[in-house]
Amino acid sequence: MQSVEVAVKEISRVGAWALRGLGIEYGVAQRASLFLAWAEAVEGNTIGQLIDYDLRVKKGGVGKFSFDQRSQDWWQFCSAGRSLLEFGPPVIDMLTYAARTFGCGRFDIFDVFDPVFLTSLCQMAAERGIGLIALSKNKDLSVGGLKTNAIQVRKDRNGAVQFSSVVREIPKALAAGKDWAVEAVSAEGTAISLYAYLLSEDVTSLAKSDFEHALEEKLADAYAHGIVVTKEDKEQLYEFEIRTWAPTSDRSRSQALI
Amino acid sequence: MERFPRQLADIVEKHGGPSLSEIAARMRGPDQCLTPEAMGAQKATRLSFTQSLGRKMIEDRWRLTKQLVNFDANGIGKAVYEIDFGKEKSTYIVRSFEKGADGENIGRRGGAKRDLYGALFFGVASPERIAEEFAVIETRDRVTMRSKSDVLGWTPGTRSARVFEDVVEALANGEQPANSIVRKSGYLIRNGGFIAGGRHGTKSYAGIPDGHPLKSPYFADLFALLLMRGVSVDLVNAMAAARSSKAVPLSENLTKYFGVGNASGQGMCVALQRWPQWFSTWTLVREFCLGRALAISVKPSSPQRQKMLSYLSRAIRYYDYLMPELENFMVPYEEIVRNLTRVKAWVEDDKFFAEGSWEALARHVGASVDKETAETFYALLIEIYPEFADDVATYLPVGMTRQIEYSPEKTVGEFRAKYLSQYHWILRHDMRHSDERRHFWYHSIEHGEQRRGERIIDPHEHFESFIDHISAIQRLAAVLASYDDAVPMAFVMIDFPELAFAAARVESLALDPYKEIQGNLLHKDFSPAQLIRFYLANLGLESTYPLSIRWVPGVLFQGFPTWKEVAAGLGGDWKFTNVIGELV
């Protein structure tokens, strides 16, 4: 397979339109494009997920996502075939609300077909000062391209976001006094469970070496030196974008320039 | 009370003079400076990016070395330059082709079929890498062309249809081009954009390390365009020399006179709306400096008065000399010259300084002359207090890169009371009539060119570019009204994820003095040229002249010092110096 160098910014810019070409609304696509570019830079092979999503949409396998509230800080969420790029940011918003209001929160998400985007969402949470633990029964999560069934993210005193591919520490906020607990694996086989907590308790306790994945450095490197993707993936991304371009005509041409 | 960034408050303290509240009291409201009409009249100031870049170049004494300049009589050939920024260096290469038949006004639909194509490398490129990039450029096929992360961007360009060939002919005949030729155009090459920021695989701007001389917003873009200006001179000189043994090179005065041409279309309106923190910051720094200039104490004998007179004289000569192709969509330069002459007489009149400030005169100017003349005067008020303006300009990259975020834990009631309540103009604007929603922006299949269609009549409305801030915020307000005040915003956003961007926009900018354009960009009577001119003025173009309501040519870097002067740290005061009479 031929490979080609692309820029991170190229993926976010073209990606925003590509996601619209897949039927995703402007406000959602604009936000999601940043996670797409981030994930492609640090995890790789994410554009294939968009192709998968396109097929799901064409087969009618995508519905409206929904959730049940189990307690004040615990929700169970059915993705209805939607991409994590669509529902992930509002899920992190909910967990941000829970952590900032109650000190912690939990989301069990069912039927996630593209968990490769999870680290980009963890990054978003950590930048807000929210620590996150993600657990899955299956080894379908990834941190910097490494397959795992657990992710923990934190921000250190200098503001650097760090990742671990195992659960290093269960902070006090998650440890007791809840009608739920952090489990060794998610509640159900197909679920990914997300546990959020305010980072203040977590920051000081463990050494940097325990959070061994410096994904921000990988991202910075990708910004500076580009990312290598397959030519097919790059072209597919542009193909999705071009769906949003209107056919031309003399009338259309008269609507540009002079 | 609106908030001012701490950085600006510190600058006020550092410089002494008027206090923050005295400045704030004199700053114009958004209804005076953030309507499309007002924005379209605004002029480049010392805070504009071209001017900031120029100051840095001269201060740090950047140098340019010609490593290869090889063009034949038809202009076909190559050039390679090296730029020395001090600690860093870059290579710039350019390939010149035979003059195309399409003319200048081909826009984005023209793809890569330009007369010139350059590439600015991030660092010094090896001969092998230069050869590789030349091979990419050679194809001029925008669909297949790919660059790499060691290239900051490509610089397509087109020869001036009005003067290029006449200039070459004159030089080949051993003469400088006649005044009648030179006046027709302020440039030899018109740029076709800077293809950069990740496009076609070029380096992402975020990948430029902190402290790099081209890290500041728009510095890489504008510097690349400035390089084209140098190429244009090398090109006409080489072509003339190849055509005749009696050829002479372009004079130093004309080398300085010619800038680089520019033409911008309505896609700029979309870019402006996409990043509200950009125009909010641009407007804040401008109005902040203007507010201080109005608050500052001025005696009849103040040197700033003489400085203002000197700049007005230059401005009068400048506008008197220029011959725009069309003046139907702007204040004609003849009128600006007439009004600037009146303003100059008022500056000489002591009665306008009886209050001990510029305020009385500024009021009189605002009430007595056209908007563009008034804005020229306001731009000069900023210019005559350069140290303050230069410090304020350091806030530009800070304000422009602010995060746009909302707080998921805030309740609907809090959000409405603290943030949404600041958007009276938008919330009260009546969008019901079809005239209000007439247009939408879309990308064409012809290289994604931005065009403006009419709803119902034109296709692809469902893929319209975001430009309608009024409806976005009104929709957010309507949805929030359907929730109880105690509901956290996160619950609303998980029900309506498409509104998170509007919530973030509102919360992040609500307390800024200048947050949104006070105009409806969809309206049937909206003229995109107004926002394009605003954008270009902030980039630093002194003269822009719309050829239609959606297409605005202009000239960059006219009068900018030569490389020899820059390397010697000279030529810093180049505002309005680009008049032949003054240069000869």
Side-chain angles (χ1 to χ4, degrees):
Chain A
M1 257 188 290
Q2 262 191 294
S3 59
V4 60
E5 186 185 309
V6 297
V8 179
K9 184 66 189 172
E10 183 175 19
I11 295 179
S12 63
R13 183 177 47 249
V14 178
W17 284 101
L19 292 168
R20 289 192 69 186
L22 290 168
I24 295 173
E25 283 194 67
Y26 169 80
V28 178
Q30 205 63 43
R31 206 177 183 196
S33 63
L34 305 177
F35 300 109
L36 172 67
W38 196 99
E40 184 60 43
V42 304
E43 302 293 347
N45 300 315
T46 58
I47 297 168
Q49 303 293 332
L50 302 187
I51 299 166
D52 200 13
Y53 181 75
D54 187 40
L55 291 173
R56 281 168 176 258
V57 172
K58 282 178 178 159
K59 285 180 186 166
V62 170
K64 182 164 171 48
F65 56 72
S66 59
F67 61 95
D68 292 323
Q69 185 155 11
R70 302 293 298 269
S71 66
Q72 67 172 12
D73 52 9
W74 179 16
W75 296 267
Q76 292 196 319
F77 185 92
C78 175
S79 70
R82 292 269 164 202
S83 168
L84 198 51
L85 288 173
E86 290 175 277
F87 65 79
V91 161
I92 297 297
D93 288 349
M94 290 289 283
L95 287 168
T96 303
Y97 147 74
R100 287 179 180 169
T101 308
F102 310 112
C104 64
R106 169 177 173 172
F107 246 88
D108 299 322
I109 306 169
F110 298 93
D111 189 21
V112 182
F113 78 91
D114 49 5
V116 70
F117 296 115
L118 194 57
T119 40
S120 64
L121 297 162
C122 292
Q123 174 83 19
M124 170 189 173
E127 282 172 2
R128 287 175 168 179
I130 308 295
L132 210 63
I133 293 171
L135 296 174
S136 171
K137 231 175 207 170
N138 308 312
K139 218 170 176 177
D140 53 0
L141 309 182
S142 70
V143 179
L146 176 77
K147 286 291 173 194
T148 179
N149 59 3
I151 300 172
Q152 187 164 15
V153 64
R154 71 167 185 181
K155 186 155 78 169
D156 72 10
R157 281 202 187 88
N158 301 320
V161 176
Q162 295 157 352
F163 285 81
S164 170
S165 54
V166 296
V167 177
R168 293 289 179 187
E169 177 190 50
I170 297 178
K172 281 183 213 150
L174 292 178
K178 296 284 164 194
D179 49 6
W180 48 268
V182 180
E183 299 163 30
V185 291
S186 318
E188 297 183 30
T190 59
I192 295 172
S193 290
L194 302 175
Y195 302 93
Y197 51 97
L198 279 181
L199 270 173
S200 52
E201 292 183 41
D202 170 67
V203 168
T204 55
S205 55
L206 287 171
K208 186 180 176 184
S209 56
D210 290 323
F211 285 79
E212 68 277 28
H213 296 279
L215 300 188
E216 282 181 330
E217 287 171 21
K218 204 169 172 183
L219 180 72
D221 187 63
Y223 268 120
H225 306 295
I227 312 164
V228 176
V229 304
T230 66
K231 194 167 174 237
E232 289 74 16
D233 275 1
K234 190 271 288 181
E235 282 172 6
Q236 186 61 66
L237 191 70
Y238 277 89
E239 280 299 315
F240 289 142
E241 181 199 24
I242 287 169
R243 287 182 188 179
T244 68
W245 292 3
T248 194
S249 61
D250 286 344
R251 177 180 162 82
S252 175
R253 284 184 169 170
S254 74
Q255 291 168 340
L257 304 183
I258 303 172
Chain B
M1 173 68 182
E2 286 125 348
R3 66 182 175 202
F4 287 99
R6 182 72 244 168
Q7 190 176 333
L8 295 187
D10 289 345
I11 292 167
V12 168
E13 208 174 303
K14 174 187 158 190
H15 284 266
S19 67
L20 200 58
S21 58
E22 285 171 327
I23 294 171
R26 287 161 181 82
M27 285 167 67
R28 294 186 290 184
D31 57 329
Q32 293 170 292
C33 63
L34 218 44
T35 64
E37 295 76 17
M39 293 166 83
Q42 287 170 20
K43 301 294 179 191
T45 72
R46 195 174 176 88
L47 298 152
S48 301
F49 295 102
T50 302
Q51 283 73 4
S52 303
L53 169 67
R55 282 197 298 278
K56 180 158 183 63
M57 289 176 63
I58 293 164
E59 199 178 300
D60 294 350
R61 302 186 179 208
W62 294 6
R63 287 164 197 278
L64 177 124
T65 311
K66 295 174 189 179
Q67 296 186 328
L68 169 77
V69 176
N70 183 15
F71 302 114
D72 71 12
N74 291 318
I76 300 167
K78 291 175 181 174
V80 177
Y81 303 88
E82 187 174 283
I83 305 102
D84 184 347
F85 302 110
K87 286 180 187 159
E88 287 89 5
K89 288 181 179 179
S90 277
T91 300
Y92 177 61
I93 63 171
V94 67
R95 171 78 166 91
S96 175
F97 302 91
E98 195 150 19
K99 170 79 186 129
D102 289 336
E104 285 184 68
N105 295 321
I106 49 175
R108 194 168 165 181
R109 85 178 61 147
K113 302 284 187 245
R114 307 294 177 138
D115 304 337
L116 285 172
Y117 227 89
L120 175 61
F121 285 87
F122 176 67
V124 175
S126 67
E128 296 74 27
R129 185 67 189 93
I130 288 172
E132 184 186 26
E133 198 67 12
F134 268 133
V136 171
I137 288 170
E138 196 67 34
T139 65
R140 288 196 292 170
D141 177 359
R142 184 69 72 82
V143 176
T144 57
M145 286 168 76
R146 294 291 303 172
S147 195
K148 290 183 176 175
S149 58
D150 60 352
V151 167
L152 281 168
W154 288 331
T155 55
T158 313
R159 298 179 196 176
S160 163
R162 290 197 293 170
V163 305
F164 187 93
E165 198 50 44
D166 290 342
V167 169
V168 174
E169 271 313 298
L171 297 176
N173 288 332
E175 299 162 354
Q176 294 300 315
N179 212 21
S180 56
I181 295 170
V182 172
R183 282 187 80 183
K184 285 195 284 185
S185 174
Y187 61 89
L188 297 165
I189 296 289
R190 180 195 282 183
N191 86 77
F194 184 49
I195 316 296
R199 289 178 177 83
H200 299 268
T202 53
K203 187 184 274 305
S204 303
Y205 287 151
I208 302 175
D210 289 342
H212 188 276
L214 298 178
K215 178 70 175 176
S216 281
Y218 287 115
F219 273 23
D221 311 53
L222 292 167
F223 181 64
L225 303 189
L226 175 64
L227 290 170
M228 296 184 77
R229 178 209 199 204
V231 170
S232 71
V233 174
D234 286 344
L235 186 59
V236 292
N237 285 341
M239 287 171 71
R243 287 181 189 184
S244 162
S245 58
K246 61 178 182 181
V248 293
L250 198 67
S251 71
E252 189 155 328
N253 286 342
L254 284 175
T255 298
K256 236 163 128 167
Y257 167 79
F258 285 117
V260 62
N262 186 80
S264 297
Q266 55 204 350
M268 277 194 140
C269 299
V270 178
L272 210 54
Q273 284 293 64
R274 171 77 186 85
W275 311 104
Q277 68 273 47
W278 290 13
F279 67 76
S280 165
T281 302
W282 302 346
T283 307
L284 173 62
V285 295
R286 168 198 297 266
E287 298 303 321
F288 196 72
C289 288
L290 181 56
R292 183 175 182 273
L294 295 177
I296 216 159
S297 161
V298 183
K299 292 177 187 156
S301 58
S302 288
Q304 281 78 17
R305 227 174 123 191
Q306 286 310 314
K307 228 168 152 184
M308 174 62 87
L309 287 170
S310 163
Y311 278 123
L312 283 168
S313 298
R314 288 193 201 177
I316 290 164
R317 283 199 299 272
Y318 173 78
Y319 286 115
D320 191 36
Y321 189 81
L322 298 182
M323 289 175 60
E325 286 171 78
L326 192 72
E327 295 187 305
N328 295 7
F329 305 96
M330 58 188 277
V331 177
Y333 283 170
E334 201 181 313
E335 190 178 334
I336 292 181
V337 167
R338 203 166 46 242
N339 280 329
L340 283 174
T341 307
R342 292 169 68 203
V343 173
K344 195 177 164 211
W346 298 333
V347 174
E348 285 169 333
D349 189 340
D350 284 349
K351 82 173 181 209
F352 287 107
F353 297 91
E355 290 173 21
S357 75
W358 291 98
E359 253 190 309
L361 178 57
R363 272 198 308 272
H364 186 67
V365 168
S368 313
V369 301
D370 68 89
K371 279 190 165 54
E372 293 194 33
T373 300
E375 290 293 345
T376 305
F377 174 66
Y378 302 149
L380 294 179
L381 276 175
I382 294 170
E383 187 73 35
I384 59 175
Y385 298 103
E387 294 84 8
F388 185 79
D390 294 353
D391 275 354
V392 168
T394 62
Y395 176 68
L396 280 163
V398 179
M400 286 173 67
T401 51
R402 277 181 300 162
Q403 283 288 322
I404 298 292
E405 261 272 45
Y406 84 101
S407 306
E409 74 283 4
K410 282 214 157 58
T411 65
V412 167
E414 285 174 297
F415 184 89
R416 288 167 62 174
K418 190 168 181 188
Y419 305 124
L420 206 51
S421 61
Q422 305 296 318
Y423 288 78
H424 298 146
W425 187 89
I426 285 174
L427 296 174
R428 291 171 186 173
H429 189 84
D430 188 350
M431 291 290 283
R432 289 173 301 169
H433 198 281
S434 63
D435 285 352
E436 295 283 340
R437 302 196 46 76
R438 177 71 57 89
H439 292 123
F440 68 99
W441 269 247
Y442 67 92
H443 286 284
S444 155
I445 197 74
E446 287 183 288
H447 297 294
E449 183 172 68
Q450 277 280 2
R451 294 173 185 176
R452 190 173 71 147
E454 289 186 58
R455 293 187 194 279
I456 302 174
I457 298 169
D458 291 305
H460 257 52
E461 183 184 344
H462 52 293
F463 287 132
E464 71 178 288
S465 303
F466 172 74
I467 198 145
D468 181 13
H469 61 296
I470 298 175
S471 297
I473 294 171
Q474 288 187 352
R475 166 91 177 130
L476 174 67
V479 167
L480 292 181
S482 70
Y483 283 82
D484 190 277
D485 270 357
V487 172
M489 287 292 286
F491 284 73
V492 182
M493 294 308 143
I494 202 161
D495 289 344
F496 296 91
E498 73 278 11
L499 291 181
F501 90 99
R505 188 171 176 125
V506 166
E507 181 171 326
S508 301
L509 295 169
L511 304 180
D512 285 13
Y514 307 102
K515 35 189 164 284
E516 295 284 358
I517 297 167
Q518 292 209 349
N520 175 13
L521 280 54
L522 308 185
H523 194 277
K524 78 171 177 52
D525 295 331
F526 168 71
S527 168
Q530 291 169 330
L531 296 194
I532 301 169
R533 294 188 86 194
F534 169 80
Y535 208 131
L536 296 177
N538 280 284
L539 289 183
L541 278 79
E542 298 284 6
S543 165
T544 58
Y545 40 93
L547 291 185
S548 74
I549 60 163
R550 54 173 77 94
W551 184 239
V552 184
V555 190
L556 280 151
F557 293 109
Q558 220 182 348
F560 190 76
T562 60
W563 274 107
K564 209 163 99 185
E565 287 173 309
V566 170
L570 301 172
D573 186 14
W574 56 286
K575 192 171 181 71
F576 294 139
T577 57
N578 45 327
V579 182
I580 295 297
E582 193 172 86
L583 291 171
V584 170

